[in-house]
Amino acid sequence: MHVSIIIPAFNEERLIGQCLQSVADAMAANQSYGYSHEVIVVDNNSTDDTACLAKQAGARVVFEPINQIARARAAGAAAATGDWFIFLDADCLLNAGLVGDIFSLIEQGEHVGAGSTLYMPNLPWWMVVLLRIWTALSVKFSWAAGALIACDAAVFREVGGFNQALYAAEEVDLSQKLKKWGRARKLGFTILTDHPLETSPRKVQLYSSWEIAGQFLRLILHPFRTLQSKERLSMWYDGRR
């Protein structure tokens, strides 16, 4: 089995090094499975040293000039050679337990893919509540968070991959397509809960509570218009790092 770890990255020079080190450590801890792997970092038109640092860490770097998360992930998938894909955000730290859970799921042969619950350190109380609500919805409806999505590469291609009309929530859309494909073949799509993925709380640190509330209000009131507009998704695309 050959696994492709695909990491979209826009101006991630502060975090890409520790993300890639966590990948190396987690994969090394699961060598007993005998899986080979590649790491692909998609430079999504960065203006900093993201690409250089990724190359120095041994990753293969692919360039995607249009700044859009779905396009960046799709570019990585197009370049990947793995039998399974693991899409990982650059502000995350992969852990050995989660990789072991993914590999075990692959070995069982009963799933087309999986997501993971999340851990964010140092959150204010209101964000802890929001994360718990998201976690409950994610597990109940098998909606993967964009921070990590693992899936069979052939199935990913068959269902059309990420919807590039969306500037956010493309991971939920992909979850739905993978679930539908799997359901017809008695295969599952699940959210792994035993070893949550650590992801950065930086949005809470970079944006005020009013900005965050305004962003979610736009998503609630005008979901389709907002998800298809980069300008309406400032928390994803205004470049704050």
Side-chain angles (χ1 to χ4, degrees):
M1 183 65 66
H2 186 53
V3 177
S4 299
I5 297 109
I6 300 166
I7 305 172
F10 170 66
N11 286 350
E12 295 287 4
E13 64 179 7
R14 290 180 57 248
L15 299 176
I16 192 65
Q18 56 187 328
C19 174
L20 291 172
Q21 186 60 56
S22 77
V23 170
D25 293 343
M27 297 303 290
N30 285 280
Q31 287 181 342
S32 60
Y33 283 90
Y35 290 3
S36 59
H37 74 280
E38 63 181 352
V39 180
I40 298 173
V41 171
V42 183
D43 173 16
N44 199 193
N45 208 22
S46 298
T47 57
D48 64 5
D49 288 333
T50 295
C52 180
L53 292 171
K55 289 176 183 176
Q56 289 176 2
R60 177 184 172 195
V61 175
V62 173
F63 182 69
E64 168 51 54
I66 298 176
N67 188 220
Q68 181 187 6
I69 302 167
R71 282 183 176 271
R73 290 178 173 145
T81 61
D83 303 297
W84 270 66
F85 296 156
I86 298 176
F87 296 95
L88 178 71
D89 278 358
D91 64 338
C92 295
L93 298 176
L94 196 57
N95 65 76
L98 179 54
V99 169
D101 292 341
I102 294 170
F103 286 3
S104 178
L105 178 140
I106 295 172
E107 293 274 279
Q108 292 165 11
E110 297 176 355
H111 291 79
V112 296
S116 172
T117 52
L118 305 177
Y119 163 68
M120 293 185 191
N122 305 316
L123 291 178
W125 69 267
W126 56 269
M127 191 60 196
V128 171
V129 172
L130 288 177
L131 182 58
R132 286 176 179 169
I133 292 171
W134 161 255
T135 300
L137 293 172
S138 173
V139 172
K140 179 175 177 59
F141 296 107
S142 296
W143 292 341
L148 184 137
I149 312 162
C151 63
D152 183 297
V155 179
F156 173 88
R157 297 186 184 102
E158 188 169 335
V159 302
F162 292 104
N163 183 350
Q164 295 183 32
L166 300 176
Y167 285 86
E170 72 282 350
E171 67 276 11
V172 175
D173 178 77
L174 178 63
S175 300
Q176 295 292 88
K177 291 189 290 188
L178 292 171
K179 282 193 296 181
K180 182 178 179 180
W181 190 97
R183 192 160 48 241
R185 296 157 179 83
K186 297 184 179 179
L187 297 171
F189 182 90
T190 191
I191 304 301
L192 301 168
T193 60
D194 287 346
H195 301 94
L197 176 74
E198 182 173 341
T199 185
S200 166
R202 65 180 174 187
K203 279 188 171 63
V204 181
Q205 298 166 350
L206 292 170
Y207 296 87
S208 70
S209 57
W210 287 108
E211 288 176 304
I212 294 171
Q215 179 69 87
F216 280 97
L217 188 61
R218 285 193 293 273
L219 284 166
I220 292 168
L221 295 178
H222 306 287
F224 298 108
R225 189 190 310 172
T226 301
L227 291 173
Q228 294 181 32
S229 169
K230 184 186 295 187
E231 290 71 26
R232 291 175 178 269
L233 291 164
S234 57
M235 282 179 56
W236 281 263
Y237 290 100
D238 72 1
R240 289 191 216 179
R241 290 291 185 269

